Amino acid sequence: MTTTLSPASAPGDAALADHGRDYEALAERLDRRGKSAEDVVERVRRFEVALPSWAFGTGGTRFGRFPGPGEPRTLDEKLEDAATVHRLTGGAPRVSLHIPWDDPKDPAALRERATSLGLGFDAVNSNTFQDQPGQPLSYKLGSFSHPSAAVRKQAVEHHLHVVEVGKSLGAEAITVWLADGSNYPGQMSLRKSFERVRDCLHEVYAAMPQDWCLFTEHKPYEPSFYATVVQDWGSSLLLAQSLGDRAQCLVDLGHHLPNTNIEMIVARLAGVGKLGGFHFNDSKYGDDDLTAGSIKPYGLFLVFHELVLAERDRLPGFSPAYMIDQSHNIKDPVEDLLQTVDQLQLACAKAWLVDHEALAGYQEEGDVVMAERTLKEAFETDARPIVAEARRRAGAALDPLAAFRASGYRAQKARERVGGVVETRGL
Ligand code: RM4
Ligand code: MN
Ligand code: MN
């Protein structure tokens, strides 16, 4: 893999020695609880999450955008940043592309470039929530749900193009998030709009390669503020069930009304073999796309707890595609992604630290206090040495953010990435 960081990213002997002592101390403590630190290190090593191509540039809101120096201008430069995140965390070996924001001109060349950087491609994402320059028909009043058959056809063709791009990159899934919906009562038929979406999805599903999966992603509102067609996990599940085995639901952590119990949705979907994908982020109010674990770390842990249970119980059809979906409005995107992967690795470690046998026993006995305490015991364990050890064994950084800062990567990119045309788009 190409190295673009200075040697400052390697931990010094003192840092390594400190880490060794911290890890041994934690392993010994866990041993007393009958838990193996080694097992959890291996679990964290196996955890992989895809990086979103749309997150490497500074994001924004409708009120403004404040880009920083050294942002990637091309898809190649985004891959370079992705490789940096993967090299420092050891946990992000794939990129999820958004088409047409990041429609590769030469997919074969892009695939080669990714391989040379140690990267692959995860699910590809379609975009019928915006009109593109030169596009014949508008999505203003919807895409798959549009009353006009011609608009629906255009939207289906876009999805088939996205699948083609994905095929040439070695991806094996498409994620469909639709903005379709209405802003005012009476604007659209609530029933027919859903049927049209279902029928268009059937066309895409039928045209996909046999080994591909289709993920339907729900979201309660925005940009439609009165009614969104695929607004909840029930609608998403109906669609996935109507399509077939290779259609599953994708849960985005920011796509729920306030106070929704997301871990319960995870348990439901995993329980019927329909949890196919995950978009990690965090939020305070809506689809805020903040750093995972920054607002509700316990909630993130409880979600991971359900994911770990599904894995332990070997639920049929359970092998979700984990992805990040965030908008880095005021942080350096690479730093935000490093923080995110770290938080996910940490939540993963803590979820594997749960004493599952004890928990199941307390649940059977109806011991509410001890059951809750069992979960808290894992959550309150400082599992950072386990995560650092997993990264050390993967040849990544003990502390990715510190290594990134010490490397001077962003300053170097700010010098290199000047002028030229910004070829890619995003949030
Ligand atoms: C949506 C949804 C999709 C993402 C777009 C950019 O809210 O989360 O997954 O691709 O935003
Ligand atoms: Mn999403
Ligand atoms: Mn979203």
Side-chain angles (χ1 to χ4, degrees):
M1 194 187 296
T2 49
T3 299
T4 44
L5 296 186
S6 74
S9 63
D13 291 347
L16 260 183
D18 284 350
H19 161 68
R21 278 194 297 274
D22 291 347
Y23 178 67
E24 285 312 318
L26 175 59
E28 199 262 330
R29 259 193 79 196
L30 291 175
D31 198 46
R32 271 185 270 137
R33 264 163 50 188
K35 271 278 165 192
S36 154
E38 285 294 307
D39 284 356
V40 181
V41 166
E42 286 313 308
R43 295 292 182 183
V44 174
R45 282 198 65 178
R46 261 181 263 166
F47 176 77
E48 291 179 347
V49 65
L51 301 170
S53 67
W54 59 103
F56 289 100
T58 301
T61 68
R62 67 186 193 274
F63 299 106
R65 186 171 165 265
F66 306 96
E71 280 193 9
R73 296 158 300 174
T74 62
L75 198 39
D76 266 25
E77 290 177 352
K78 288 185 179 183
L79 288 187
E80 208 182 354
D81 287 0
T84 299
V85 173
H86 179 46
R87 205 166 53 75
L88 291 171
T89 61
R94 283 179 298 282
V95 175
S96 186
L97 289 190
H98 223 298
I99 313 279
W101 288 342
D102 286 307
D103 201 344
K105 284 192 216 83
D106 183 347
L110 188 75
R111 191 175 184 178
E112 242 173 69
R113 171 89 178 119
T115 309
S116 75
L117 289 164
L119 297 171
F121 292 94
D122 213 304
V124 278
N125 302 263
S126 58
N127 177 346
T128 57
F129 47 85
Q130 291 169 324
D131 286 345
Q132 304 304 326
Q135 179 185 308
L137 301 167
S138 173
Y139 295 133
K140 177 178 171 183
L141 297 180
S143 60
F144 280 179
S145 71
H146 202 286
S148 150
V151 176
R152 299 200 296 275
K153 184 163 177 277
Q154 175 181 284
V156 169
E157 276 163 9
H158 165 68
H159 281 75
L160 301 186
H161 167 69
V162 173
V163 170
E164 280 311 309
V165 173
K167 269 161 67 179
S168 52
L169 293 172
E172 288 170 347
I174 178 170
T175 298
V176 183
W177 171 70
L178 301 169
D180 289 54
S182 55
N183 270 18
Y184 297 98
Q187 182 186 322
M188 71 176 189
S189 158
L190 299 182
R191 187 163 45 77
K192 278 188 200 154
S193 55
F194 187 72
E195 289 167 2
R196 289 178 189 138
V197 164
R198 184 197 57 206
D199 294 349
C200 288
L201 284 172
H202 268 278
E203 286 185 47
V204 177
Y205 187 82
M208 282 184 341
Q210 288 302 309
D211 54 350
W212 267 52
C213 290
L214 184 150
F215 304 140
T216 60
E217 177 179 1
H218 71 274
K219 168 159 156 167
Y221 71 93
E222 193 213 15
S224 297
F225 292 109
Y226 167 63
T228 295
V229 180
V230 190
Q231 93 280 17
D232 57 12
W233 68 272
S235 306
S236 179
L237 180 61
L238 284 177
L239 292 172
Q241 283 174 334
S242 137
L243 291 170
D245 287 349
R246 290 174 296 112
Q248 290 182 303
C249 304
L250 183 144
V251 174
D252 181 311
L253 287 181
H255 292 190
H256 310 274
L257 294 174
N259 302 325
T260 299
N261 186 331
I262 303 174
E263 55 271 25
M264 207 153 108
I265 297 173
V266 171
R268 285 289 175 281
L269 293 176
V272 293
K274 283 294 192 191
L275 184 66
F278 229 92
H279 278 177
F280 289 108
N281 50 52
D282 209 342
S283 68
K284 180 72 181 163
Y285 303 105
D287 191 19
D288 308 342
D289 284 336
L290 301 174
T291 319
S294 61
I295 310 279
K296 294 170 291 205
Y298 191 47
L300 182 65
F301 163 79
L302 293 174
V303 162
F304 263 93
H305 172 56
E306 291 304 324
L307 297 171
V308 163
L309 286 178
E311 197 176 326
R312 282 186 92 240
D313 294 344
R314 295 201 169 81
L315 295 186
F318 184 76
S319 115
Y322 294 127
M323 295 173 254
I324 295 170
D325 184 5
Q326 297 179 168
S327 181
H328 312 129
N329 300 357
I330 57 167
K331 287 177 176 173
D332 177 313
V334 169
E335 293 197 352
D336 201 340
L337 289 165
L338 292 173
Q339 284 187 302
T340 303
V341 178
D342 175 64
Q343 284 298 300
L344 299 178
Q345 290 171 326
L346 193 61
C348 172
K350 290 183 177 193
W352 281 105
L353 281 175
V354 171
D355 185 339
H356 296 106
E357 285 73 29
L359 178 63
Y362 294 133
Q363 288 174 347
E364 293 304 311
E365 290 160 22
D367 193 334
V368 182
V369 168
M370 290 308 289
E372 186 208 9
R373 198 174 117 123
T374 304
L375 281 185
K376 275 287 180 72
E377 176 83 40
F379 175 67
E380 285 166 355
T381 303
D382 182 357
R384 286 175 299 179
I386 286 183
V387 169
E389 180 60 12
R391 287 196 292 250
R392 190 190 67 76
R393 291 186 194 179
L398 291 178
D399 180 344
L401 189 60
F404 179 74
R405 290 243 166 149
S407 74
Y409 179 89
R410 185 57 79 193
Q412 186 186 317
K413 294 300 153 198
R415 285 191 297 276
E416 286 170 22
R417 297 173 180 173
V418 278
V421 185
V422 177
E423 291 173 10
T424 65
R425 287 165 56 215
L427 293 164

